[in-house]
């Protein structure tokens, strides 16, 4: 019976179970520049035929593929790796084949072990060597010629057997493979982002509250004056809520209460007035030129500016006059404390799909011309997810280093799909995870499941829109604990800057909102204030930059602990080994034994080593699996320990 697809009939090797990939290759795997991508797959041959495989990979702008060979782990599971060296889009695929040279070598070894005659195998070996010779270069070519002469001389049978079973023959077989029945997988896409973003510390502030003069509206110039302080504290990204003109109609006053007059600054999320919309900046902040200068000054200090793109519109926004059919019929009915209860939301339908997309693309293109490369989309789940995916694809094709961040706390499946759809960074549920069991379970969820290939979370201690219940007591040790967890569990974390640093905790009664929130009024902060908290923020940010193990989220191993409130976790990267131990009880001293697996830190069960506390400078000698810790939240609720070799430590004294 003749097949309708004869080209599919000849397939000597099967390739399946390839990882990483997202939804069968439908969406892109996410990585950072210089990251080593580990690839595994099931590669199935037949009979006693030896198979071999390699990874083919390239940047989509390149013509030629690069190769990286794979090795067999066990039970037909193969593994290899390659490095993505630049920001942009990559593709990879797996090529596998029957390896005639290794198959022949295996037959020779089998015959020798069973003491079977091998003379009849030399002819096949000569043919294999000849094919390898044709693929070789000049240096190996001379050696292969000598091997061919050896195989052709019956008097040199013993030498031929030694050559056939030697490491040199195996090396030639891998270097000049004799391939039969080559199979290839489909291409799998990878989006590569700059490492400086996926390993970063974020600092949120309202530019209008940047002035140190009470009662004075802050400006972009005032923010420029704060940049050295924020940089010295170790932050990499400075994030602004909307900075556009604020509508006067139905304007909200203090704590989001109805005011309606123009004598209050209003919510920054009620965007748009007669002075412009998303394409303009609030005139009291300065001009677009001033914003550009701020972005340039940030870049000169090695920081980036992230701006909020919120699709909420004041009734005074120009779009409502030009496109009234794009919006809901009236003011959104939201609780009094909502930041957007004086604004209309953009409603995307099949009728305005492309019009609204083009309008938003125009805004993003303008912002990118200002120098913005990081855009936080506020509540993107309020529009169709595919609508955003198409916008991101268009913009990143035009500006490859433009990064989008999904700023929402939606249902898990929705947040996962947003991450698949092109958002490089995503909000997380970290703020609501408090117990050891909750924290460990949540981190494992996105470090050991398929989420690890595309979901890159930011761990926020608090945000400009959320005052989490666990910080509403104003208890300093609790702030220290939440900061340490955010900064060490995740490679990417953030704080709502002055509010967190200065422990401005007073909540709106019964809600996760701030009393006298900056969303509705201008604040004056003491930018020179220094506390134990600000000191530790700076120190831990510095430690993060000096220790590679803290620059990744997925390299985490939770340790056994003898107390439910003492949590320990290892982060290991190459030669850098970090052990974090924290007391989750912000009110009581706790003691426990912590179990550290020697295999993960390169130590035997009875080999001593040094744990160097990078916070206090203290050094302790540990040995074996279980070791003692004692943490008082009023002194220091955590250890940040670097594991150092005992002999090296003694030699350095």
């Amino acid at each position: 019976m003749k097949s309708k697809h004869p080209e599919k009939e000849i397939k000597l090797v099967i390739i399946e179970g390839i990882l990483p990939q997202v939804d069968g290759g439908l969406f892109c795997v996410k990585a950072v520049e210089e990251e080593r991508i580990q690839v595994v797959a099931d590669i199935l041959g037949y009979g006693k035929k030896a198979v071999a495989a390699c990874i083919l990979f390239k940047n989509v702008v390149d013509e030629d593929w690069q190769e990286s060979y794979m090795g067999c782990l066990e039970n037909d599971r193969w593994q290899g790796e390659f490095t993505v060296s630049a920001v942009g889009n990559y593709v990879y695929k797996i090529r596998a084949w029957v390896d005639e040279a290794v198959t022949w070598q295996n037959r020779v070894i089998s015959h020798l072990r069973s003491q079977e005659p091998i003379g009849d195998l030399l002819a096949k070996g000569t043919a294999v060597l000849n094919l390898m010779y044709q693929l070789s270069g000049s240096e190996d070519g001379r050696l292969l010629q000598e091997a061919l002469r050896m195989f052709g001389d019956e008097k040199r049978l013993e030498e031929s057997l030694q050559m056939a079973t030697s490491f040199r023959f195996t090396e030639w077989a891998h270097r000049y493979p004799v391939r039969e029945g080559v199979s290839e997988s489909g291409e799998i896409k990878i989006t590569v982002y700059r490492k400086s973003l996926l390993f970063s510390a974020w600092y949120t502030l309202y530019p209008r509250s940047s002035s140190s003069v009470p009662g004075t509206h802050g400006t972009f110039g005032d923010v420029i004056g704060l940049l050295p302080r924020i940089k010295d504290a170790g932050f990499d990204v400075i994030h602004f809520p909307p900075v556009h003109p604020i509508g006067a109609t139905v304007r909200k006053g203090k704590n989001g209460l109805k005011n309606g007059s123009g004598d209050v600054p209003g919510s920054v999320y009620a965007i748009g007035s007669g002075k412009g919309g998303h394409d303009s900046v609030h005139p009291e902040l300065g001009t677009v030129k001033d914003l550009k200068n701020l972005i340039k000054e940030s870049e000169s200090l090695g920081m980036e500016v992230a701006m909020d793109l919120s699709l909420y519109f004041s009734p005074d926004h120009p779009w409502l006059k030009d496109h009234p059919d794009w919006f809901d019929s009236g003011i959104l009915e939201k609780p009094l404390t909502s930041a957007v209860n004086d604004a209309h939301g953009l409603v995307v339908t099949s009728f305005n799909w492309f019009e609204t997309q083009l309008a938003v693309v125009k805004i993003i293109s303008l912002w990118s011309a200002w120098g913005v490369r990081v855009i936080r989309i506020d509540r993107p789940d309020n529009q169709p997810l595919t609508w955003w995916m198409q916008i991101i694809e268009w913009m990143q094709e035009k500006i490859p280093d433009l990064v989008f961040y999904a700023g929402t706390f939606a249902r898990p499946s929705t947040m996962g799909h947003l991450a698949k759809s092109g958002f490089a960074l995503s909000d997380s549920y970290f703020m609501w995870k408090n117990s050891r069991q909750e924290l460990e379970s949540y981190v494992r969820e996105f470090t050991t499941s398929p989420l690890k290939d595309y979901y890159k979370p930011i761990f926020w201690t608090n945000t400009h829109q959320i005052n989490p219940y666990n910080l509403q007591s104003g208890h300093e040790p609790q702030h220290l604990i939440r900061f340490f967890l955010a900064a060490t569990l995740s490679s990417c974390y953030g704080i709502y800057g002055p509010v967190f640093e200065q422990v401005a905790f007073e909540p709106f009664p019964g809600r996760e909102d701030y009393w006298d929130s900056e969303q509705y009024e201008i604040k004056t902060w003491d930018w020179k204030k220094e506390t134990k908290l600000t000191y530790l923020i700076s120190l831990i940010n510095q430690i993060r930059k000096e220790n590679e193990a803290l620059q990744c989220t997925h390299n985490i191993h939770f340790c056994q602990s003898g107390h439910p409130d003492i949590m320990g976790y290892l982060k290991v990267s190459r030669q850098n080994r970090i052990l974090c131990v924290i007391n989750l009880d912000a009110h009581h001293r706790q003691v426990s034994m912590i179990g550290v697996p020697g295999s993960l830190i390169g130590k035997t069960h009875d080999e001593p080593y040094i744990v160097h506390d990078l916070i206090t400078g203290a050094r302790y000698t540990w040995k074996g699996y279980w070791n003692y810790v004692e943490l008082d939240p009023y002194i220091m609720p955590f250890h940040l320990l670097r594991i150092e070799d005992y002999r090296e430590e003694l030699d350095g004294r």
Side-chain angles (χ1 to χ4, degrees):
M1 182 176 177
K2 191 173 182 181
S3 171
K4 294 181 180 179
H5 305 285
E7 73 281 0
K8 295 184 180 180
E9 290 183 349
I10 303 174
K11 183 171 286 190
L12 303 183
V13 182
I14 303 297
I15 305 169
E16 60 187 18
I18 303 173
L19 293 174
Q21 62 175 307
V22 181
D23 289 3
L26 183 62
F27 299 101
C28 293
V29 175
K30 292 179 182 176
V32 297
E33 54 189 337
E34 300 302 327
E35 183 175 343
R36 291 180 296 176
I37 308 298
Q38 289 196 338
V39 178
V40 293
D42 294 322
I43 300 176
L44 316 176
Y46 66 99
K48 294 184 178 181
K49 292 286 189 178
V51 297
C54 68
I55 305 166
L56 300 176
F57 65 98
K58 68 172 184 174
N59 192 309
V60 294
V61 300
D62 297 332
E63 292 186 5
D64 298 329
W65 293 87
Q66 299 181 63
E67 286 191 10
S68 176
Y69 275 83
M70 303 181 75
C72 186
L73 296 173
E74 60 179 0
N75 295 333
D76 299 316
R77 194 66 168 165
W78 288 64
Q79 177 178 289
E81 65 178 35
F82 64 96
T83 300
V84 287
S85 56
V87 172
N89 294 311
Y90 280 71
V91 290
Y92 81 89
K93 58 184 178 180
I94 293 177
R95 175 181 290 167
W97 60 92
V98 171
D99 192 319
E100 290 295 340
V102 175
T103 298
W104 179 81
Q105 185 186 48
N106 290 343
R107 287 187 64 192
V108 170
I109 294 171
S110 177
H111 277 55
L112 288 173
R113 286 175 177 170
S114 59
Q115 298 184 348
E116 298 179 50
I118 63 167
D120 59 335
L121 295 178
L122 290 180
K124 175 66 174 178
T126 301
V128 167
L129 273 173
N130 191 49
L131 290 171
M132 293 163 67
Y133 168 68
Q134 294 175 32
L135 296 170
S136 66
S138 57
E139 183 176 343
D140 283 340
R142 289 191 295 271
L143 296 172
L144 282 162
Q145 274 187 322
E146 173 59 28
L148 280 168
R149 286 192 290 269
M150 184 189 306
F151 274 48
D153 188 344
E154 294 181 0
K155 297 179 181 179
R156 304 178 68 182
L157 177 60
E158 191 65 31
E159 288 181 79
S160 299
L161 293 178
Q162 290 180 3
M163 170 58 71
T165 57
S166 68
F167 175 76
R168 173 170 286 180
F169 186 93
T170 303
E171 188 177 43
W172 285 341
H174 289 301
R175 193 176 297 171
Y176 313 115
V178 180
R179 299 170 174 172
E180 181 186 354
V182 176
S183 296
E184 287 188 357
S185 70
E187 295 181 4
I188 297 170
K189 300 174 288 185
I190 301 177
T191 299
V192 180
Y193 300 98
R194 53 190 181 278
K195 183 179 179 181
S196 61
L197 197 71
L198 292 183
F199 165 61
S200 56
W202 288 51
Y203 189 96
T204 296
L205 68 81
Y206 284 83
R208 70 183 186 180
S209 295
S210 59
S211 174
S212 58
V213 180
T216 302
H217 195 292
T219 67
F220 293 132
D222 291 323
V223 178
I224 289 175
L226 296 175
L227 291 179
R229 175 192 183 275
I230 297 170
K231 175 63 178 178
D232 289 345
F235 290 95
D236 311 290
V237 181
I238 181 169
H239 162 240
F240 301 147
V243 294
H244 313 295
I246 297 171
T249 303
V250 202
R251 183 174 283 190
K252 300 298 181 182
K254 196 169 184 176
N255 288 312
L257 299 175
K258 292 182 179 180
N259 184 290
S261 67
D263 61 352
V264 293
S267 166
V268 297
Y269 285 92
I271 298 168
S273 72
K275 297 177 181 178
H278 290 74
D279 55 354
S280 307
V281 297
H282 196 296
E284 290 190 69
L285 289 172
T287 65
V288 169
K289 182 179 179 181
D290 295 329
L291 176 58
K292 290 181 178 179
N293 288 338
L294 168 57
I295 293 170
K296 288 181 180 178
E297 287 294 324
S298 300
E299 291 175 349
S300 70
L301 293 172
M303 294 192 296
E304 297 196 56
V305 169
M307 284 179 45
D308 256 22
L309 176 55
S310 175
L311 297 183
Y312 289 104
F313 300 76
S314 158
D316 306 322
H317 195 290
W319 283 16
L320 270 89
K321 298 176 182 178
D322 299 336
H323 308 283
D325 56 315
W326 289 3
F327 300 91
D328 47 25
S329 58
I331 299 298
L332 292 177
E333 293 298 328
K334 295 286 185 179
L336 287 178
T337 54
S338 169
V340 295
N341 60 351
D342 47 356
H344 293 262
L346 180 68
V347 179
V348 175
T349 69
S350 58
F351 298 102
N352 66 19
W353 186 280
F354 296 109
E355 283 184 291
T356 52
Q357 279 185 328
L358 290 173
V360 171
V361 164
K362 186 176 179 181
I363 293 171
I364 297 172
S365 298
L366 177 64
W367 289 12
S368 66
W370 295 349
V372 178
R373 286 295 179 271
V374 185
I375 298 177
R376 177 186 178 271
I377 307 297
D378 184 59
R379 305 180 191 181
D381 49 311
N382 283 345
Q383 288 78 39
L385 306 190
T386 306
W387 186 82
W388 279 116
M389 183 172 67
Q390 292 171 351
I391 289 174
I392 293 171
E393 285 179 354
W394 292 340
M395 291 309 307
Q396 289 187 329
E397 184 176 342
K398 179 181 177 182
I399 309 170
D401 65 340
L402 190 61
V403 170
F404 293 86
Y405 160 29
T408 186
F409 300 100
R411 293 182 297 274
S413 56
T414 298
M415 293 179 71
H417 198 87
L418 285 167
K420 293 176 185 177
S421 299
F423 285 93
L425 294 166
S426 302
D427 274 331
S428 70
Y429 304 129
F430 165 75
M431 279 190 294
W432 298 280
K433 306 300 179 183
N434 297 299
S435 70
R436 175 179 150 195
Q437 189 277 330
E438 287 176 328
L439 288 161
E440 292 183 1
S441 176
Y442 181 58
V443 172
R444 287 192 183 102
E445 183 180 326
F446 60 80
T447 58
T448 61
S449 75
L451 282 170
K452 69 180 184 300
D453 295 326
Y454 61 89
Y455 181 78
K456 308 298 180 184
I458 295 185
F459 277 17
W460 288 94
T461 57
N462 61 330
T463 76
H464 61 297
Q465 294 171 316
I466 299 174
N467 181 12
Y469 290 124
N470 55 40
L471 296 181
Q472 290 185 6
S473 67
H475 188 51
E476 185 185 59
Q478 183 65 28
H479 275 65
L480 290 171
I481 289 167
R482 296 307 297 180
F483 172 76
F484 185 81
L485 288 169
T488 57
L489 284 171
S490 176
S491 64
C492 193
Y493 85 95
I495 67 172
Y496 171 23
V499 166
F500 184 79
E501 290 177 315
Q502 301 187 29
V503 194
F505 63 91
E506 190 172 2
F508 192 99
R511 302 186 63 86
E512 286 189 303
D513 293 298
Y514 299 94
W515 186 251
D516 294 344
S517 169
E518 276 189 274
Q519 294 180 18
Y520 305 103
E521 60 182 286
I522 297 169
K523 293 283 190 179
T524 302
W525 301 104
D526 181 359
W527 295 105
K528 295 181 180 179
K529 185 176 182 179
E530 295 183 359
T531 64
K532 180 179 180 179
L533 180 57
T534 59
Y535 170 78
L536 286 171
I537 288 172
S538 300
L539 178 58
I540 291 172
N541 278 337
Q542 178 184 339
I543 292 169
R544 278 167 46 95
K545 288 179 169 60
E546 294 172 350
N547 289 272
E548 184 184 40
L550 293 172
Q551 298 170 15
C552 181
T553 300
H554 299 125
N555 60 336
I556 192 166
H557 172 85
F558 289 102
C559 301
Q560 283 188 286
S561 168
H563 193 285
D565 287 327
I566 297 290
M567 185 168 78
Y569 42 98
L570 270 170
K571 287 197 156 189
V572 178
S573 179
R574 299 178 187 176
Q575 300 302 312
N576 189 218
R577 298 158 295 182
I578 296 294
L579 173 62
C580 299
V581 186
I582 185 164
N583 178 7
L584 299 174
D585 183 346
H587 299 277
H588 303 94
R589 179 180 63 88
Q590 301 294 353
V591 299
S592 180
M593 302 296 287
I594 287 289
V596 181
S599 59
L600 296 182
I601 60 172
K603 300 297 176 185
T604 61
H605 72 282
D606 60 350
E607 184 178 359
Y609 55 92
I610 300 295
V611 289
H612 177 189
D613 193 325
L614 301 178
I615 302 292
T616 65
R619 288 172 167 83
Y620 310 94
T621 300
W622 282 14
K623 182 179 178 181
Y625 184 78
W626 292 105
N627 286 275
Y628 177 84
V629 294
E630 177 179 332
L631 291 165
D632 187 330
Y634 295 97
I635 299 174
M636 194 67 67
F638 42 73
H639 286 306
L640 208 172
L641 304 167
R642 184 168 62 207
I643 295 173
E644 300 170 353
D645 293 334
Y646 188 74
R647 288 184 178 178
E648 291 181 7
E649 180 69 18
L650 289 179
D651 291 343
R653 290 182 178 178

